[in-house]
Amino acid sequence: MSGLFATNQTSEDIDRISAARESAIEIRDVSKRFKLFADRRTNLKEMVTDRRRKDRSDEFWALRDISLDIPRGKTFGLIGHNGSGKSTLLKLIAGIHRPTKGSVVAHGRVSAMLELGAGFHPELSGRENVYLNGSILGMTRKQIDRAMERIVDFSGLSEFIDTPVKIYSSGMYVRLGFAIAVNLDPEILIVDEVIAVGDEEFQRKCFDHLYDLRRRGTTIVMVSHSLGLMAEICDEVAWIDSGRLRGVGPARKLTDEYLASVNIREAESAQGISHESPAYGSTEVDPSRHGSGEVQVTDIEYLDAEGSSVAFLTSGQSCTLRVHYSASAEISSVALGLSFDHESGAHIADTNSGYDNGSSSLQAGRGHFDYRMDRLPLLPGAFTLSTLLSDKGHTYDSRERAFIMKVRAAESNLGSGLVRFEGLWTGPGSS
């Protein structure tokens, strides 16, 4: 007997073979160590004249005890902060690095798109590099010949395909590298976020082709800092934090958990930081501020749904903007206006306390106005706020883009743009 039913196989062997059929990549107890040299000899003279000196180095563990299975035919993502070990793990899967401990087994032909220019010889032409990459993947010349026309058409580099790649721009490198990676019939495709270098048209072409590869059963492993993209494209993701595996699970669920963790870290680090624009931190007279000055805005405080002061607001959640003022005298009639602008300069909206409540009277001293929103409609980003205290055309205090308001996401499926619509979908229905 042979294969799965061979009499000399143990139950552990059978379980392992069965798992391999379900998994495209098996990662077991993987750790990766790098040496950081603080005082390394850099030339022959130093090696000869200073032979007694030892190179001083420190150990850096980029990954620690990572174990996971990447399912066959699925799109799998790696998320985490910069330096967490995502790209190192991709390189281990691609066979560029070897693990210090543990094992990485890929069941299928692996094609990787990692750093710009990886796998290219600068002196060879684009066409010659296609043959070089195909040979590395174990393909015959006839197989590469059949794929050549598709690769050239996909890259859009027909005019430059016989030119040495050392003169290519970063965008041209990405075009050719991605075209090679996806058109040489990969069983496992590894993509780092280098495709972000490409222009909008090429990115759309890339994602369309990735969708086609998914339908054909190709296993895709990818890294991107666009959490919305990861939640949309990936079936599952693994969250790596400082070299350790924090969790593996459904893409949308885990990206939301990662976002919550990032928000908590930012809130902790931002405690005590002023919301005023940096221009207002100086003692010089601000040329954009004007008014008679009997009452002036002194600060804006951001409150969450529980009324706690926070460093940033969360898109789609209840919040309050508390505008603090100081009045040097009694004011019989005044209204407060707020203006919202995106950091790109796009104007978002205006609101004014006089619209709902009419003008207010103020006593001398300090106080505040509250502007409450049941669901903050702004999408994640940085916004500047302008304030205006006025009455029937008379300006008491005007501050142009004086305050910074940061908006963060609590979920990864918010889409793009500046604001979110609050409509409800129904259907589909027959017509």
Side-chain angles (χ1 to χ4, degrees):
M1 298 179 67
S2 63
L4 182 61
F5 300 101
T7 56
N8 63 340
Q9 288 181 323
T10 66
S11 60
E12 291 183 357
D13 292 332
I14 295 174
D15 290 341
R16 178 176 52 79
I17 294 172
S18 177
R21 288 176 175 174
E22 296 297 325
S23 300
I25 302 167
E26 298 175 63
I27 301 170
R28 293 289 179 268
D29 302 316
V30 164
S31 297
K32 179 60 181 176
R33 178 188 62 203
F34 293 99
K35 286 188 176 182
L36 305 178
F37 290 92
D39 187 21
R40 191 172 186 173
R41 288 171 287 190
T42 59
N43 55 56
L44 180 61
K45 179 181 178 181
E46 289 182 353
M47 295 178 67
V48 173
T49 60
D50 202 7
R51 285 177 291 178
R52 290 177 297 177
R53 190 186 74 185
K54 294 184 177 180
D55 290 334
R56 296 197 303 271
S57 64
D58 295 322
E59 290 185 347
F60 170 69
W61 288 89
L63 294 171
R64 286 276 200 178
D65 305 319
I66 303 291
S67 292
L68 60 91
D69 289 320
I70 297 178
R72 187 180 302 279
K74 301 293 185 179
T75 300
F76 194 92
L78 302 178
I79 60 174
H81 59 80
N82 284 331
S84 61
K86 306 183 300 297
S87 294
T88 299
L89 185 55
L90 285 187
K91 291 175 182 176
L92 291 175
I93 296 172
I96 295 173
H97 291 324
R98 294 194 177 197
T100 306
K101 298 179 181 178
S103 64
V104 178
V105 179
H107 301 284
R109 184 170 60 251
V110 178
S111 182
M113 180 62 184
L114 300 173
E115 292 109 333
L116 285 176
F120 287 104
H121 191 297
E123 299 295 335
L124 299 181
S125 68
R127 189 183 305 275
E128 290 167 334
N129 271 289
V130 173
Y131 284 106
L132 175 62
N133 278 262
S135 300
I136 292 173
L137 293 175
M139 300 181 69
T140 66
R141 188 175 183 89
K142 287 185 178 180
Q143 289 175 314
I144 301 172
D145 287 338
R146 287 196 296 267
M148 181 64 72
E149 186 176 349
R150 297 199 309 270
I151 292 172
V152 176
D153 288 344
F154 190 93
S155 68
L157 298 174
S158 57
E159 296 181 37
F160 307 97
I161 196 64
D162 294 306
T163 303
V165 298
K166 65 182 179 181
I167 70 165
Y168 282 16
S169 67
S170 59
M172 295 167 73
Y173 266 115
V174 169
R175 282 176 172 270
L176 184 59
F178 193 84
I180 293 172
V182 300
N183 283 290
L184 291 181
D185 298 322
E187 296 171 305
I188 300 171
L189 177 64
I190 299 174
V191 185
D192 208 339
E193 55 184 340
V194 289
I195 57 175
V197 178
D199 57 40
E200 180 67 23
E201 180 184 1
F202 185 71
Q203 286 187 34
R204 291 181 185 181
K205 185 187 292 188
C206 290
F207 290 123
D208 286 344
H209 200 81
L210 288 177
Y211 178 73
D212 186 54
L213 289 175
R214 290 182 65 189
R215 293 179 60 188
R216 285 153 46 189
T218 301
T219 304
I220 302 172
V221 186
M222 63 186 301
V223 165
S224 174
H225 285 289
S226 173
L227 295 181
L229 174 66
M230 298 293 274
E232 179 180 354
I233 290 183
C234 296
D235 301 298
E236 295 182 15
V237 298
W239 175 8
I240 301 177
D241 186 15
S242 301
R244 295 187 180 274
L245 186 65
R246 284 282 298 270
V248 180
R252 197 166 300 284
K253 177 178 181 294
L254 213 63
T255 52
D256 288 350
E257 291 180 7
Y258 171 65
L259 266 176
S261 172
V262 172
N263 289 344
I264 291 171
R265 288 183 183 180
E266 183 178 359
E268 291 174 348
S269 63
Q271 288 181 355
I273 297 177
S274 172
H275 299 301
E276 279 194 308
S277 174
Y280 287 88
S282 67
T283 57
E284 298 178 4
V285 176
D286 175 27
S288 66
R289 182 175 197 166
H290 64 276
S292 56
E294 293 92 337
V295 57
Q296 293 185 327
V297 170
T298 57
D299 192 17
I300 296 183
E301 186 179 7
Y302 306 120
L303 309 178
D304 62 14
E306 286 73 39
S308 301
S309 182
V310 291
F312 54 84
L313 300 175
T314 304
S315 182
Q317 296 188 3
S318 175
C319 66
T320 299
L321 275 60
R322 177 161 291 175
V323 183
H324 294 271
Y325 67 82
S326 177
S328 59
E330 183 178 345
I331 307 295
S332 59
S333 178
V334 68
L336 172 65
L338 287 176
S339 180
F340 298 81
D341 294 277
H342 188 254
E343 59 182 341
S344 65
H347 180 61
I348 306 300
D350 300 310
T351 187
N352 193 293
S353 65
Y355 297 162
D356 299 323
N357 304 324
S359 59
S360 306
S361 60
L362 306 179
Q363 299 295 319
R366 295 181 177 274
H368 64 265
F369 288 86
D370 281 349
Y371 180 61
R372 177 177 173 79
M373 289 176 275
D374 291 331
R375 289 176 62 86
L376 179 62
L378 300 175
L379 290 179
F383 300 83
T384 56
L385 271 61
S386 302
T387 60
L388 174 66
L389 287 166
S390 64
D391 179 51
K392 298 180 177 63
H394 174 74
T395 299
Y396 289 106
D397 184 48
S398 174
R399 301 184 69 171
E400 293 290 333
R401 301 189 177 187
F403 301 93
I404 298 173
M405 183 177 75
K406 296 180 180 179
V407 178
R408 298 293 181 254
E411 52 187 308
S412 56
N413 61 337
L414 295 180
S416 58
L418 300 180
V419 298
R420 60 189 295 168
F421 290 160
E422 295 297 334
L424 295 176
W425 286 98
T426 59
S430 59
S431 58

